[in-house]
Amino acid sequence: MLSAKTFISATIIYILIFGIVGYFTSHSLKADIKQANGTAYEAILPFKSKNAGEIGKYSYTIKIKAHPLMSGNFQIIADDCIDDIWVNGKKLHGLINKEKACDTKNGIDIHIGKYLYLGANEITVDTYNTGGQFGLQFVDTSFYTGYQIFIPLLCCFVFLLFKVPCKKFISNKINLITMKKTWIINSVPFFTLIFLYVVGMFIKDNSAYRWIFIWGVAGSVALPCFYSIYRKSISPKFTLCILFICLALCASFISYHFYDEYSYDVEGHIQYIQYIIEAGHSPNPAGGWLFYHPSLYYRSAAIFWQIANYNRNLNYEEFLKLMQGFTFTLFILYCYFSIRTIDSFYEAISQKNEKNRRSNSYRLTVVLFLLWPANSIFSGRIGNDIMFELLYAITFYAIVKWWLSQKISHFLLILICSSLAVWTKSNGFILFGVIGTLLPIGYILDKSKVKNRWYLQKTVALTTFLLVITYLAASDKFSRGYTIPDTPLIVSNAAGLGQELRIENNFGTYLTFDPVKFVCIPYTSAIDPLRGRDNFWHFLLKTSLVGEFTEGSPILGVVASILSLLLLFLLPIFFTGLVFSLKSSRTGLPIIASILLLVTSMIIFRLSYPFSCSNDFRYIYPAILPFCMLVGRGHDFLKGWWRWKEFSMGSVIIFTLTATLYQILNILKY
C-alpha cells in the first residue's frame, strides 16, 4: 500500500498539472465587433445580441494565442451567415461550406492550423445579418479534455514509478508476461481485428461483411470473458451455460429486430454519432436534440464504425446494424463484470460460512440476472445507456472488491470508472454518491489503528476526482446555458418535451401501489396515463421488466402479465434479503447503498422533471443486479424454513423460465 506521504504528493502533482494544462486549454475568447452601422465594441464569445440589429455585414476580430496542444480546428456558428474568414490579415478561400454557412445550429468546421503562429494570432470572421438578433460562436474544437485527463495521469504514473522500487516493478511485469495462457486469451480481440481486415479484403458483399465483423468482434470479446469465468467463477459450468443462453437470446434479438423498435430517441443518438464521424469533434450542445449529452459513448461508437468501415464503403443500413453490434459487444462486458461482482460477493460470504458457497443462492442470483426479460431489449438499443450500464457495472464490481479488501487500487479504479460514467451520462454522479456514502460508514466500522491515514487518502482522492469531473462535465452545460439562458442544467432538452409526457407529481404517486392494476395491465406507456405511468412504483417496476413498449401479440400480453405477477412474488424475497443483509452483516452494504441511491435519485429526478421519460427502464436498469443479489440473499435467509425456501426457489425458477419464454416469443414475433 502507498504511504500517505506518497499518495498526497501524487495528488498534489495531479492537481498542479491539471491546473497548468487547464490554464493553457481553457480560456474565454473576446471579439472586437464592428456592426453594420459602423459602431464597434468588445464582447465575450459566444455572443448573442439582446436586441435586433440592422441588416448588413458584421465583423468579429478574435485574438487567440496558439500553443502546441491546439489542433487548429474551429467550429464557427454565425447568426445569420458566414461570408469570409481572415487569419493574420490573409483572406482564406475555400474554407466555407456554402451549404452550412447559414446553419445557425451547427455552423461550419474549419482547419486553419497551418495559418497560425505559435503565440498571438488574429482571426476575423465576416458575417451577414439578415434581420433580427446577431451573434457568433467561435469554438476551439481541439480535444482538450483528453489532455486535461491523461497528461496529469501520466505525470502521476511517472512519479509513482520512481517511488516504487524498480526491482519490485520489474518483477511484477515479468510475472504478467509469464502468464502465457492468459496473455494469449486476452490478445484474441487484437488478432481478431487483424483477421477481419484480411478477410474483409476478399469479401465484397458488404451485407455479409457487417455480420462477420459484428460476430467476430463480439466473439473475440466474449472468449476472454468465458475463460475468466471458467477459471474464477464459483460455479463455472452452470454460469457459462446460462450466460450462453442469455447471449444467444440477445444475438437473435439484434438479428431479427430493427434498430428503432425499442427506442424513441434513437435518431438523436445516431445524429450525434454521425456528427462526430463527419466533424471529428463533439457538437455544439445546442445543435441537436441529444447533443447536450457527454461524448464518451458517441466517440467510442464513431471509432468502432471507422474501424469497421476502414477501406470500405458501407451504407446507412449497415451503419445501423453495426451500431447495434457495438451495443451487443458492450453488453457482453456488462454481463461479465456483473457476474464477477456476484462471484466476489458470494466468495466473501463463503469465508464466513462455507456452506453458502455450495448453496443454490449463487445460482439463483446468476440465472435471475442473466435471464432478466429486459436484457434482450437493452442489448440491441443504440444509445449511450449501454456504455453507462457497463461503466456502472465495472464501478460496482470495484466497489464490492474495495469494500471487502480496502485496497487503494480498487478505490482508484472506482474513481476512474465513475468519472468515465459521468463522461457518458450525468447519472454517473450517483456512483460518487454511493462511494461518498460508504466511505464514512467504512471509517466508523473500521477498527484498525491506521484507519485515519487510509481514509485520508481516499477522501483526498474522492474530492479531487469529483472536482475534476464536475469541472469537465459542467463546461458544456454552462456553455449551452450562456447561449440559451432558459436551458435546464441537468436535462438540457427538458423544455422541448411535450405536455403529453408530463405526469402527476404529488406524494400519492410515491406512497400508493395497485398490485391488481399492475398485473392486469400487461404493458405501461410513457404517454397513456391509463396504463399506470403516473404511479412511480407501477411505472418503475413495469418498465424494469419489459420497458415501456407495447407488443401487439395477445400471447405476449398474457406472458407479460404473468411476469408482473411473478415479480410481485419476488418482492418479499427481495425485502427479506434487504433487511437481513443490513442487520446481520456489513458485506451487503454496497449492494444496499447502490439500489437505495438509485431509487432515491429517480424520485428526486422525477420531482425535478415531472415527465414519464425521467424514470423509465433506462434509469432503473442498473438496479437489476443489486436487486437480483438481494433476492439471492433473501433465499439464503429463508432456507431455514422449508416452505419459504421452496417458495423462493420456485418463484425465481418460474420467473426466469417465463422471462426466457417471453424473450423467445418476442424474437420470433409470435
Side-chain angles (χ1 to χ4, degrees):
M1 182 175 289
L2 296 175
S3 66
K5 182 179 179 180
T6 301
F7 187 84
I8 297 297
S9 299
T11 304
I12 293 173
I13 290 174
Y14 183 90
I15 294 173
L16 288 175
I17 300 298
F18 180 84
I20 293 171
V21 175
Y23 173 79
F24 285 105
T25 59
S26 301
H27 53 273
S28 59
L29 295 175
K30 296 181 180 180
D32 294 323
I33 305 174
K34 184 177 181 181
Q35 299 190 65
N37 59 12
T39 59
Y41 54 90
E42 186 181 66
I44 297 176
L45 297 178
F47 170 77
K48 191 175 185 67
S49 66
K50 296 181 180 179
N51 303 314
E54 296 182 7
I55 297 175
K57 178 181 176 181
Y58 290 73
S59 294
Y60 300 82
T61 300
I62 307 154
K63 294 180 180 179
I64 64 171
K65 289 186 177 181
H67 49 78
L69 299 182
M70 181 179 287
S71 66
N73 297 322
F74 297 89
Q75 182 185 32
I76 305 175
I77 306 172
D79 187 358
D80 292 294
C81 296
I82 303 170
D83 282 344
D84 295 304
I85 299 173
W86 303 70
V87 177
N88 296 322
K90 181 180 179 180
K91 183 177 179 180
L92 304 184
H93 301 278
L95 287 179
I96 301 175
N97 185 337
K98 296 300 182 182
E99 295 180 357
K100 297 183 178 180
C102 298
D103 184 349
T104 58
K105 286 189 174 182
N106 292 307
I108 64 170
D109 291 284
I110 61 171
H111 178 71
I112 56 174
K114 60 183 178 181
Y115 303 107
L116 299 177
Y117 310 119
L118 285 178
N121 293 266
E122 187 175 275
I123 301 173
T124 300
V125 180
D126 293 334
T127 67
Y128 189 85
N129 183 36
T130 59
Q133 293 176 302
F134 59 94
L136 183 76
Q137 296 184 56
F138 187 87
V139 182
D140 182 357
T141 57
S142 303
F143 188 39
Y144 291 133
T145 301
Y147 297 128
Q148 292 168 345
I149 293 175
F150 295 114
I151 290 180
L153 286 178
L154 179 62
C155 293
C156 287
F157 175 77
V158 172
F159 169 77
L160 294 175
L161 190 61
F162 282 101
K163 297 295 291 185
V164 176
C166 294
K167 183 178 180 181
K168 181 179 179 181
F169 178 80
I170 296 172
S171 175
N172 290 338
K173 294 303 175 185
I174 292 175
N175 290 336
L176 288 175
I177 294 173
T178 54
M179 297 172 63
K180 293 182 179 179
K181 189 180 294 184
T182 304
W183 181 84
I184 293 173
I185 293 293
N186 291 335
S187 64
V188 167
F190 173 74
F191 290 113
T192 299
L193 286 177
I194 297 177
F195 174 76
L196 289 174
Y197 279 138
V198 176
V199 172
M201 295 170 61
F202 300 96
I203 298 177
K204 303 303 180 183
D205 184 357
N206 285 339
S207 180
Y209 170 79
R210 69 178 178 183
W211 289 114
I212 293 174
F213 188 88
I214 289 172
W215 302 132
V217 172
S220 66
V221 170
L223 182 59
C225 295
F226 290 164
Y227 180 72
S228 176
I229 292 171
Y230 181 77
R231 291 180 60 248
K232 300 177 182 178
S233 178
I234 291 176
S235 181
K237 294 181 180 179
F238 175 83
T239 303
L240 286 175
C241 180
I242 301 301
L243 178 59
F244 181 80
I245 295 173
C246 167
L247 297 182
L249 290 171
C250 295
S252 302
F253 193 86
I254 69 170
S255 299
Y256 289 99
H257 286 260
F258 291 110
Y259 74 99
D260 59 349
E261 290 187 42
Y262 294 94
S263 180
Y264 296 124
D265 55 2
V266 64
E267 299 299 339
H269 294 293
I270 292 171
Q271 182 187 12
Y272 199 147
I273 297 170
Q274 290 182 319
Y275 184 95
I276 290 184
I277 292 172
E278 295 172 2
H281 62 83
S282 55
N284 171 35
W289 178 246
L290 295 176
F291 285 3
Y292 70 92
H293 278 301
S295 63
L296 180 59
Y297 163 78
Y298 305 99
R299 291 179 184 274
S300 303
I303 292 172
F304 185 85
W305 162 253
Q306 288 166 341
I307 293 173
N309 196 40
Y310 182 75
N311 280 339
R312 303 190 75 90
N313 188 25
L314 302 177
N315 60 31
Y316 183 68
E317 179 185 353
E318 287 143 5
F319 164 78
L320 296 174
K321 191 56 68 176
L322 281 164
M323 289 300 98
Q324 285 187 282
F326 178 61
T327 298
F328 179 65
T329 303
L330 297 182
F331 181 78
I332 295 173
L333 294 172
Y334 163 74
C335 291
Y336 168 73
F337 282 101
S338 298
I339 291 170
R340 294 299 299 129
T341 303
I342 299 172
D343 282 324
S344 300
F345 178 66
Y346 278 93
E347 284 170 0
I349 295 172
S350 68
Q351 293 175 2
K352 297 183 178 181
N353 183 0
E354 188 63 29
K355 292 182 180 180
N356 277 306
R357 186 180 179 91
R358 300 191 298 268
S359 72
N360 290 320
S361 301
Y362 170 82
R363 294 181 177 181
L364 289 178
T365 303
V366 168
V367 73
L368 182 61
F369 170 75
L370 290 177
L371 297 181
W372 191 264
N375 284 350
S376 57
I377 294 176
F378 224 93
S379 65
R381 296 178 74 253
I382 300 174
N384 58 351
D385 300 298
I386 185 61
M387 179 162 281
F388 170 74
E389 310 300 345
L390 169 60
L391 291 168
Y392 196 102
I394 298 173
T395 307
F396 188 48
Y397 166 70
I399 287 174
V400 172
K401 295 290 286 186
W402 164 74
W403 186 251
L404 299 173
S405 68
Q406 294 296 308
K407 290 183 178 179
I408 192 66
S409 58
H410 292 146
F411 192 78
L412 291 176
L413 179 60
I414 292 170
L415 298 179
I416 292 171
C417 292
S418 298
S419 301
L420 292 175
V422 173
W423 193 10
T424 304
K425 292 191 73 170
S426 299
N427 308 48
F429 281 111
I430 297 172
L431 290 165
F432 282 98
V434 173
I435 192 61
T437 301
L438 292 175
L439 202 58
I441 296 176
Y443 179 82
I444 295 171
L445 296 177
D446 196 339
K447 304 300 181 182
S448 65
K449 296 181 180 179
V450 293
K451 70 175 184 177
N452 289 338
R453 173 169 62 86
W454 291 354
Y455 283 90
L456 175 62
Q457 293 179 8
K458 295 164 186 173
T459 303
V460 170
L462 175 63
T463 305
T464 302
F465 272 82
L466 184 58
L467 290 175
V468 168
I469 197 61
T470 300
Y471 165 78
L472 295 175
S475 57
D476 283 345
K477 298 284 186 182
F478 292 133
S479 173
R480 176 166 176 151
Y482 187 85
T483 55
I484 308 176
D486 296 332
T487 300
L489 181 61
I490 305 298
V491 185
S492 297
N493 63 358
L497 296 174
Q499 290 300 310
E500 67 275 8
L501 294 173
R502 186 172 288 276
I503 54 176
E504 293 182 12
N505 202 12
N506 53 63
F507 287 108
T509 62
Y510 303 94
L511 300 177
T512 60
F513 177 72
D514 186 346
V516 176
K517 184 177 181 180
F518 181 76
V519 174
C520 292
I521 301 177
Y523 303 105
T524 188
S525 169
I527 299 175
D528 187 358
L530 298 179
R531 295 188 181 184
R533 67 162 195 180
D534 289 327
N535 184 274
F536 175 78
W537 301 106
H538 181 110
F539 195 67
L540 181 146
L541 293 174
K542 185 70 76 172
T543 58
S544 72
L545 287 175
V546 294
E548 60 208 68
F549 312 102
T550 302
E551 305 294 343
S553 168
I555 297 178
L556 277 174
V558 173
V559 178
S561 291
I562 296 173
L563 277 173
S564 300
L565 176 64
L566 294 172
L567 179 61
L568 296 182
F569 289 165
L570 294 181
L571 289 180
I573 308 171
F574 160 76
F575 284 115
T576 301
L578 178 68
V579 172
F580 281 92
S581 294
L582 186 62
K583 180 180 178 181
S584 62
S585 172
R586 61 167 277 172
T587 308
L589 284 179
I591 292 90
I592 296 171
S594 178
I595 196 168
L596 291 182
L597 280 174
L598 280 167
V599 174
T600 302
S601 68
M602 291 182 67
I603 292 174
I604 295 173
F605 198 52
R606 182 173 166 126
L607 288 170
S608 304
Y609 300 93
F611 298 94
S612 56
C613 55
S614 295
N615 71 317
D616 59 16
F617 72 107
R618 299 170 298 165
Y619 298 94
I620 193 57
Y621 194 71
I624 299 301
L625 176 59
F627 174 84
C628 295
M629 294 173 72
L630 289 175
V631 169
R633 289 301 288 149
H635 173 74
D636 255 348
F637 290 114
L638 292 173
K639 66 182 181 180
W641 294 274
W642 183 84
R643 293 187 181 276
W644 282 106
K645 174 185 175 182
E646 299 303 318
F647 168 78
S648 61
M649 181 177 292
S651 297
V652 173
I653 292 174
I654 296 173
F655 178 88
T656 52
L657 289 174
T658 307
T660 305
L661 175 64
Y662 181 87
Q663 294 178 77
I664 293 173
L665 293 175
N666 197 13
I667 291 168
L668 300 176
K669 290 293 184 181
Y670 193 82

